[in-house]
Amino acid sequence: MKRVYMDYASTTPVDERVVEAMLPYFREYFGNPSSLHSYGTKTREVIEVSRKRVADLISAEENEILFTSGGTEADNLAIRGIAHVNKDKKKLEGPHIITSSIEHPAVLETCKDLEKEGFEVKYLDVNRYGVVDLKQLQTSISEGTFLISVMFANNEIGTIEPIEEIGKIAREHNVLFHTDAVQAIGKVDIDVKKLNIDLLSISSHKIYGPKGVGALFVREGIKLKPILTGGGHEKGLRSGTENVPGIVGFGEACKIVKERMERDIEHMQKLRDRLIEGVLNNIEESYLNGHPEKRLVNNAHFRFTAIEGESLILSLDERGIAASTGSACSSKKLKPSHVLLAIGLSPVEAHGSLRLTLGRYNTQDDVDYVLEVLPEVVNKLREMSPLWNRS
Ligand code: PLP
């Protein structure tokens, strides 16, 4: 049976060159970077090489990159870290933090947790394409606001947010701007300086690097309170012996992404457009979720009338196709996606969704196989559905 992986937003396979780059750091170069002897010197040096590679990918400076265990920790460190140095602002008129209603749980749950500590959070509305309401952002900022956190691109529907405009608004009001760029990195050319971004989260396993490693960009001069206490690694902001092989792999993945981003973008966009057109033209009552143009080059997110997303994923898996209903993190919960509800879908519509996300290794053959199998599977499921009352 042909096998097609179309769940790159969930995770990516590790590039062979990344694996090769990591191997010596499990074997010969296993030193603790904090050690004074030469084993430590070697790993300390290689961490700095990786830091430069991560920084280069987003046009940041090396000293502005902190390594973390992934996107989740980067989001937590950014939001909690800024909130906890701004505790005194709790007394001022809120909202203290402004975010969007379609953020990843790493941001949403962190904000909800901070609400329990007395911080006020405003969750911005989005339109039917998932774009945040900039007017509402403008009018929500008040004396006590110290942080805006809006994702670069949504992990479910792929909508790219107006980051440049948000950066401008934040700067005009002297409010810090954090963005979760976990899904955007490698698919959008990001320059933190041009975009007025103060803090940005990224993760290695979405760009053909290993899992369990990521980074937070923190613009020079911005103060954060660490969420982990310990030996004072990463300038005291992220204690814990560094994941050296992971960091090396992440750095290599960033270098490769930078070298081939243009080619990858063109490739994914061509496949995505073929996929979207094929699905919408060949499946009755199929709809595209997310913005028609301002969307990630690798994201195709659909909804089908009278289809239950989970059954669709399982049926596709039986035919060798790996897909998703939305984010990997929430697909185990059977609650309708908060993102789909926020763009105005009903719970029933939200349950009939399918996310296909492409990557570097997909081919036109893969797309054509999906276009052959998907209509068959949808028709079969509809035949069994009481909601599909066609004769
Ligand atoms: N933010 C977004 C937008 C994501 O899509 C993900 C992962 O799916 C994360 C954060 C979490 O990243 P990690 O898996 O590295 O913790």
Side-chain angles (χ1 to χ4, degrees), residues 3 11 33 66 82 86 90 123 128 200 204 212 227 243 254 261 303 322 345 352 386:
R3 291 190 69 81
T11 198
L66 292 175
I82 293 296
N86 283 284
K90 266 200 273 189
Y123 300 89
R128 68 189 175 106
L200 174 141
S204 153
I227 52 177
N243 170 7
C254 287
M261 187 145 55
R303 67 179 189 281
L345 299 190

Side-chain angles (χ1 to χ4, degrees), residues 4 29 44-45 72 90 108 156 182 184 194 202 237 239 251 262 284 328 334 350 353 374:
V4 172
Y29 309 125
R44 240 183 347 268
E45 281 171 3
T72 301
K90 266 200 273 189
L108 279 184
E156 294 188 37
V182 169
K194 275 199 202 136
I202 49 175
L237 289 167
S239 284
E262 238 175 84
E284 202 184 335
L334 282 173
S353 289
L374 186 58

Side-chain angles (χ1 to χ4, degrees), residues 86 88-98 118-123 136-147 175:
N86 283 284
D88 54 326
K89 296 218 174 102
K90 266 200 273 189
K91 287 177 243 137
L92 301 175
E93 280 285 294
H96 308 110
I97 300 172
I98 302 175
F119 289 100
E120 222 179 283
V121 182
K122 171 78 187 170
Y123 300 89
Q136 195 188 21
L137 169 64
Q138 287 268 20
T139 53
S140 299
I141 298 174
S142 60
E143 208 191 345
T145 309
F146 55 78
L147 180 67
V175 173

Side-chain angles (χ1 to χ4, degrees), residues 9-10 70-72 75 104 106 151 153 155 180 182-183 203 205-206 329:
S10 169
T72 301
D75 285 340
H104 187 273
M151 67 200 323
N155 46 300
D180 174 338
V182 169
Q183 292 293 341
S203 179
H205 74 105
K206 311 285 187 183
C329 326

Side-chain angles (χ1 to χ4, degrees), residues 29 43 68 175 194 217 227 250 252 317 341 346 354 388:
Y29 309 125
T43 48
T68 66
V175 173
K194 275 199 202 136
F217 154 78
I227 52 177
F250 183 24
E252 186 70 21
D317 193 39
L341 297 182
S346 70
L354 171 72
W388 188 252

Side-chain angles (χ1 to χ4, degrees), residues 182-195:
V182 169
Q183 292 293 341
I185 196 79
K187 290 147 219 147
V188 182
D189 196 6
I190 299 178
D191 181 327
V192 287
K193 291 196 182 89
K194 275 199 202 136
L195 295 170

